[in-house]
Amino acid sequence: MNDDATNPPAGTVTAPSLPTDHTQAILQTTKRVAAVLKAAGLPFALTGSVAAYAHGVPGSLQHDTDFCVRREDVEAVLAALAADGVEAVPAPEDWLVKARADGEDIDLIFELGRRPVTGELLRSAPVLPVDSVRMPVLPPTDLLSTLLGALTEQHCDFGALLPLARTLRERIDWSLIRDRYQSEPMPDAFLYLLERLGVVDPREAPS
């Protein structure tokens, strides 16, 4: 039998494929982490794709769960999670620490979109149900702002941002977003794309 149709040539490196829907496993890990941090009295807010999911943005979860915490709380957060059996794992980035539980990755972020996580930001997060467990979730404007702030020439996935902008457009302060990012090429290009797609109104021409 010839396996050439199914087996790649020798020496070919194939990237592992993500499951089509990892949602429930990621939600379970999210709820576990949130319960630990709430019990420890540590301030936090959910961010990233799970936060978008909590706000009603459609789509399946595939990668990880993201929490924002203050830099000064990182050691206490890791200690509380370790006491619950959550393992810290090495992270090459200097703006987050990583952990892992139940086979799922956890990002504990203390710098969002190149801006430090502050107590004011965390206090602005409304408490929402996330698969039946209530926890602070970054509000839509802050959520989109932090994602836009992370765009670079090396990481510029507008496709991941479009569902969030479309779904939450009536709950986002577009004036604030434009004021913050009008001089930054990648976020400004995304805002222009939203105008062309009719997601947001065109900006007014300078008088």
Side-chain angles (χ1 to χ4, degrees):
M1 179 178 176
N2 189 345
D3 292 334
D4 289 347
T6 57
N7 293 335
T12 299
V13 177
T14 57
S17 60
L18 289 166
T20 55
D21 189 346
H22 220 203
T23 300
Q24 199 54 46
I26 289 174
L27 289 176
Q28 287 298 115
T29 299
T30 300
K31 293 188 292 184
R32 177 178 176 182
V33 172
V36 170
L37 299 185
K38 288 198 296 182
L42 292 164
F44 73 93
L46 188 64
T47 187
S49 59
V50 187
Y53 177 93
H55 282 297
V57 177
S60 60
L61 304 175
Q62 294 181 328
H63 295 281
D64 54 24
T65 184
D66 302 306
F67 291 83
C68 46
V69 299
R70 299 181 305 177
R71 183 186 291 269
E72 59 264 34
D73 293 331
V74 167
E75 293 303 321
V77 166
L78 289 175
L81 292 175
D84 193 64
V86 178
E87 176 190 10
V89 296
E93 299 89 350
D94 60 0
W95 45 271
L96 59 74
V97 293
K98 288 182 174 286
R100 191 167 178 81
D102 305 318
E104 303 301 327
D105 291 325
I106 304 157
D107 284 355
L108 303 163
I109 303 166
F110 48 84
E111 188 175 298
L112 283 167
R114 300 189 289 276
R115 291 182 171 89
V117 173
T118 63
E120 180 182 5
L121 176 69
L122 299 182
R123 287 189 295 271
S124 74
V127 176
L128 301 177
V130 180
D131 196 34
S132 78
V133 172
R134 296 178 64 80
M135 66 187 75
V137 180
L138 279 192
T141 299
D142 288 329
L143 181 58
L144 179 61
S145 179
T146 60
L147 294 172
L148 288 176
L151 293 176
T152 66
E153 291 186 29
Q154 292 73 36
H155 176 75
C156 190
D157 184 3
F158 288 173
L161 298 178
L162 274 172
L164 188 152
R166 286 185 184 277
T167 303
L168 304 181
R169 59 184 172 184
E170 295 181 354
R171 297 157 59 190
I172 291 171
D173 185 339
W174 293 106
S175 295
L176 185 151
I177 295 289
R178 282 173 166 148
D179 287 346
R180 181 171 293 173
Y181 291 114
Q182 61 185 346
S183 62
E184 298 190 27
M186 298 304 168
D188 193 52
F190 178 71
L191 293 172
Y192 177 68
L193 175 63
L194 294 182
E195 293 176 10
R196 293 297 305 272
L197 294 174
V199 176
V200 298
D201 294 332
R203 70 197 78 187
E204 295 181 4
S207 55

